[in-house]
């Protein structure tokens, strides 16, 4: 931990978010959500459906609100408890947009230009990408800092964005002579599911925006679909090794073993102790059975939450009230620090 992080004296608070931009997948679950559920037992937690982030790429206005309800339903079904954690939609809390603008004036072009996720998402046609997609990581910094979030549970793909958030917090504190006003948020990248890869290519992360449905397991997939996707997952011709070192240079095998381990809460070594020497013909059905066993109860609960949108709306409304109550005084202080008139 850096000196700046240890010098921050405010309360410790977990902050994290997910985009309501499509079906939640196994990567989102194992990389982030599973940890959220555990962390809420010990920490003050704030979890946000980041719909402002979602519109950095085109979204169907007729579907966005229901996508926000759906992701909330998935969280509740997975065990996020709105009596323990604050659960809300980003667009219902004005602090995000206001602080994002201020931090856009703190962040440096060179820092944001280095972000690899923009390069990946914008692809070759970056001239046509939205400005919002470019400044996405600054909004992410604003999300966390509007709540003075100190710890951020995310998958490994978000590591670079978190480093930027730390730089922005530090720069703001120094530019405005506001020592330790913002904490430097620490990433919490935990567990064997921190980097779940595509089922079709073990070198690419599992992602909502992958055009191939077979590349990911979605929360809403039923047992047959899960089994089919695992059966069709890319693997190789060799048997599984007995030692972890034997996964070297076998990205698909490593990924499937890692998924099994994350679902079973076992290390790769423990999984290989059980399956070393077996071929994929035996391992894949065992993985499919485990995935169905773990995901089906969540999917069922999620569907029943989705049948009651008023209940989800009530959770989001209450969450927005609590979120505004935390973020408004922080933004008021930011305005004073920046020197705006009539703060
Ligand atoms: N493959 C993954 N392995 C582990 N964790 C992952 N996360 C995402 N993919 C993986 C984690 O899930 C959380 C929410 O992510 P998000 O919804 O904000 O968006 P994302 O990271 O951009 O997810 P996708 O699926 O990859 O969406 P697209 O395709 O739109 O870019 C984060 O904590 C993330 O680390």
């Amino acid at each position: 931990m850096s000196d700046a992080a240890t010098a921050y004296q405010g309360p410790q608070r977990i902050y994290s978010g997910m985009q309501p931009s499509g079906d939640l997948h196994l990567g989102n679950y194992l990389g982030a959500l599973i940890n959220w559920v555990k962390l809420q037992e010990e920490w003050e937690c704030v979890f946000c459906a980041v719909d402002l982030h979602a519109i950095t790429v085109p979204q169907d206005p007729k579907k966005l609100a229901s996508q926000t309800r759906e992701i909330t339903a998935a969280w509740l079904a997975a065990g996020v408890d709105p009596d323990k954690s604050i659960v809300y939609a980003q667009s219902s809390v004005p602090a995000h947009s206001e602080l994002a603008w201020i931090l856009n004036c703190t962040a440096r072009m060179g820092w944001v230009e280095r972000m690899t996720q923009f390069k990946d998402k914008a692809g070759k046609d970056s001239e046509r990408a939205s400005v919002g997609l470019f400044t996405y990581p600054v909004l992410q910094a604003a999300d966390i800092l509007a709540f003075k979030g100190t710890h951020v549970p995310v998958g490994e793909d978000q590591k670079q964005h978190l480093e930027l958030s730390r730089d922005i917090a530090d720069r703001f504190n120094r530019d405005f002579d506001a020592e330790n006003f913002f904490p430097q948020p620490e990433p919490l990248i935990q567990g064997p599911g921190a980097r779940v890869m595509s089922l079709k290519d073990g070198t690419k992360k599992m992602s909502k925006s992958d055009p191939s449905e077979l590349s990911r397991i979605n929360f809403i997939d039923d047992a047959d679909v899960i089994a089919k996707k695992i059966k069709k997952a890319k693997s190789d011709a060799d048997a599984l090794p007995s030692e972890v070192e034997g996964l070297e240079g076998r990205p698909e095998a490593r990924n499937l073993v890692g998924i099994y381990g994350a679902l079973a809460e076992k290390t790769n070594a423990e999984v290989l102790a059980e399956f070393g020497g077996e071929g994929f013909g035996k391992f894949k059905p065992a993985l499919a059975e485990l995935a169905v066993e773990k995901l089906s109860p969540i999917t069922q609960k999620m569907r029943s939450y989705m049948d009651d949108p008023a209940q989800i709306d009530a959770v989001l409304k209450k969450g927005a009230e609590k979120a505004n109550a935390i973020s408004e005084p922080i933004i008021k202080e930011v305005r004073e620090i920046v020197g705006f008139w009539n703060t």
Side-chain angles (χ1 to χ4, degrees):
M1 206 189 271
S2 67
D3 289 349
T6 48
Y8 175 75
Q9 295 296 321
Q12 306 282 296
R13 182 176 287 142
I14 296 271
Y15 190 94
S16 197
M18 274 186 209
Q19 296 187 72
S21 54
D23 293 332
L24 218 71
H25 56 72
L26 194 63
N28 302 132
Y29 177 57
L30 296 176
L33 186 50
I34 210 168
N35 295 326
W36 292 9
V37 175
K38 289 182 190 147
L39 288 163
Q40 69 181 351
E41 299 304 326
E42 308 269 328
W43 295 71
E44 180 189 354
C45 292
V46 185
F47 300 128
C48 180
V50 291
D51 48 2
L52 299 178
H53 282 275
I55 62 161
T56 56
V57 295
Q59 299 293 333
D60 183 345
K62 293 194 189 80
K63 292 189 182 154
L64 188 55
S66 70
Q67 287 169 196
T68 299
R69 288 189 191 101
E70 194 173 309
I71 205 169
T72 309
W75 298 351
L76 301 180
V80 171
D81 179 348
D83 290 329
K84 291 185 182 145
S85 303
I86 298 177
V87 174
Y88 73 103
Q90 191 181 25
S91 58
S92 58
V93 173
H96 292 277
S97 309
E98 183 167 354
L99 187 58
W101 178 256
I102 293 168
L103 297 183
N104 268 328
C105 302
T106 298
R108 304 291 99 187
M109 281 296 286
W111 302 352
V112 183
E113 272 170 354
R114 279 197 288 278
M115 297 297 111
T116 54
Q117 199 176 83
F118 174 75
K119 291 175 195 156
D120 293 344
K121 286 199 175 177
K124 291 196 188 84
D125 210 3
S126 62
E127 291 283 303
R128 294 175 67 87
S130 72
V131 175
L133 188 66
F134 180 70
T135 61
Y136 179 116
V138 182
L139 176 59
Q140 191 171 338
D143 300 339
I144 302 162
L145 298 176
F147 289 80
K148 295 196 175 179
T150 53
H151 295 80
V152 185
V154 280
E156 213 173 87
D157 59 319
Q158 292 298 323
K159 199 168 168 213
Q160 196 188 32
H161 285 175
L162 255 295
E163 276 159 16
L164 180 75
S165 295
R166 294 167 62 83
D167 288 342
I168 291 174
D170 179 52
R171 180 73 186 244
F172 180 93
N173 291 350
R174 286 192 289 115
D175 279 358
F176 291 101
D177 219 5
E179 207 181 343
N180 298 318
F181 176 72
F182 283 133
Q184 286 199 287
E186 298 271 346
L188 292 178
I189 299 173
Q190 291 174 329
R195 191 161 179 78
V196 178
M197 309 310 275
S198 157
L199 298 180
K200 288 279 136 201
D201 178 350
T203 63
K204 261 174 59 185
K205 80 160 188 158
M206 186 177 282
S207 161
K208 292 184 203 103
S209 52
D210 192 314
S212 169
E213 271 295 320
L214 290 175
S215 69
R216 62 183 164 264
I217 292 173
N218 295 319
F219 254 46
I220 49 149
D221 288 344
D222 62 27
D224 290 346
V225 173
I226 293 176
K228 184 179 122 200
K229 286 180 175 175
I230 291 176
K231 191 170 173 206
K232 292 196 168 210
K234 189 172 170 195
S235 53
D236 55 38
D238 295 337
L240 284 172
S242 303
E243 310 285 330
V244 174
E245 294 70 38
L247 293 172
E248 213 52 53
R250 298 178 65 187
E252 283 79 23
R254 175 186 291 280
N255 188 35
L256 295 178
V257 167
I259 291 174
Y260 190 102
L263 286 167
E265 301 197 47
K266 288 183 176 169
T267 62
N268 282 359
E270 286 167 338
V271 178
L272 293 178
E274 197 179 335
F275 289 99
E278 302 285 1
F280 285 96
K282 178 139 189 220
F283 182 64
K284 280 183 174 178
L287 175 57
E289 195 182 324
L290 178 65
V292 170
E293 181 194 315
K294 296 285 177 182
L295 295 180
S296 290
I298 302 177
T299 310
Q300 271 170 26
K301 271 195 210 153
M302 182 180 159
R303 287 186 207 280
S304 70
Y305 278 115
M306 285 301 289
D307 287 340
D308 188 0
Q311 188 189 357
I312 299 174
D313 287 350
V315 166
L316 291 172
K317 192 158 175 267
K318 198 163 161 210
E321 281 163 16
K322 291 186 198 163
N324 277 313
I326 296 177
S327 59
E328 273 167 10
I330 294 173
I331 295 301
K332 188 170 183 298
E333 255 192 285
V334 169
R335 288 191 202 131
E336 283 161 11
I337 289 169
V338 174
F340 287 139
W341 173 79
N342 196 18
T343 57

